[in-house]
Amino acid sequence: MPLSFALDPPTTPELRDGILRLWADVSNAGGAVGFVPPVTVDEVRPELVSHFAAMAQGRMRLVVGYEEDGTVAATTFVAYNTHRLMKHWVWLYTVMVHPSHQGKGYGRDLMAAVEDAVRGFDGIEAIRLTCRGGTGVDRFYGSCGYKEVGRVPGAIRVAEGDDRDDIFMLLPLN
């Protein structure tokens, strides 16, 4: 069953708890979403609160993919630039699909939903994101139309002696 996607759903306790569970589950399955396993919901919470605060201030938007029963299965945050010379593109943060749904095409569906949503934002011409090298996710984003536009070698320290490249990717919307 395909997911249904929503842009900026109401930030209810159910949404909050769903995103927290998703973020912890993705992290603990090895997903490169800002944490290294093991991680708990309580460790993720401050980061989500920060994202919700940015949403309340109008600096960030949220795209959520729901299962038929309303369970949060996929999310990403879209952040506007505050620099006056870079307001024509947005950042994509924390792209997540629940590990139990890997291989079902939901990641591609999420990226298409995000692209569709962002195309409706006034004055936005491109989407940028970064991803952790060594995970293969850059190939996934490439298959969704994103192009690698930069790389910082060893910028992400996953553990002592395990440094990964920070890969910058861009999707022009023109």
Side-chain angles (χ1 to χ4, degrees), residues 60-139:
M60 190 172 275
R61 312 277 301 263
L62 172 63
V63 176
V64 178
Y66 294 97
E67 294 180 52
E68 190 175 17
D69 67 359
T71 301
V72 173
T75 62
T76 191
F77 293 88
V78 181
Y80 291 104
N81 281 297
T82 57
H83 193 285
R84 67 187 152 277
L85 302 178
M86 297 183 191
K87 291 186 181 244
H88 60 289
W89 56 268
V90 293
W91 281 107
L92 206 55
Y93 289 110
T94 321
V95 178
M96 299 185 286
V97 173
H98 195 275
S100 66
H101 295 306
Q102 297 297 315
K104 296 179 181 178
Y106 291 169
R108 190 171 307 286
D109 293 345
L110 173 63
M111 298 307 290
V114 168
E115 182 179 344
D116 287 346
V118 171
R119 285 184 184 282
F121 296 2
D122 287 336
I124 301 301
E125 300 172 9
I127 304 170
R128 284 177 59 179
L129 59 82
T130 64
C131 58
R132 185 185 302 171
T135 64
V137 74
D138 53 316
R139 289 188 306 274

Side-chain angles (χ1 to χ4, degrees), residues 3-86:
L3 300 180
S4 61
F5 291 92
L7 173 65
D8 300 327
T11 52
T12 63
E14 294 80 19
L15 177 66
R16 177 202 62 217
D17 293 347
I19 294 173
L20 286 170
R21 282 190 301 273
L22 173 66
W23 207 333
D25 289 349
V26 168
S27 296
N28 287 324
V33 289
F35 295 93
V36 175
V39 67
T40 67
V41 165
D42 289 334
E43 291 169 308
V44 172
R45 188 179 315 278
E47 197 67 28
L48 180 59
V49 168
S50 175
H51 282 28
F52 278 173
M55 288 168 52
Q57 296 166 353
R59 296 182 294 116
M60 190 172 275
R61 312 277 301 263
L62 172 63
V63 176
V64 178
Y66 294 97
E67 294 180 52
E68 190 175 17
D69 67 359
T71 301
V72 173
T75 62
T76 191
F77 293 88
V78 181
Y80 291 104
N81 281 297
T82 57
H83 193 285
R84 67 187 152 277
L85 302 178
M86 297 183 191

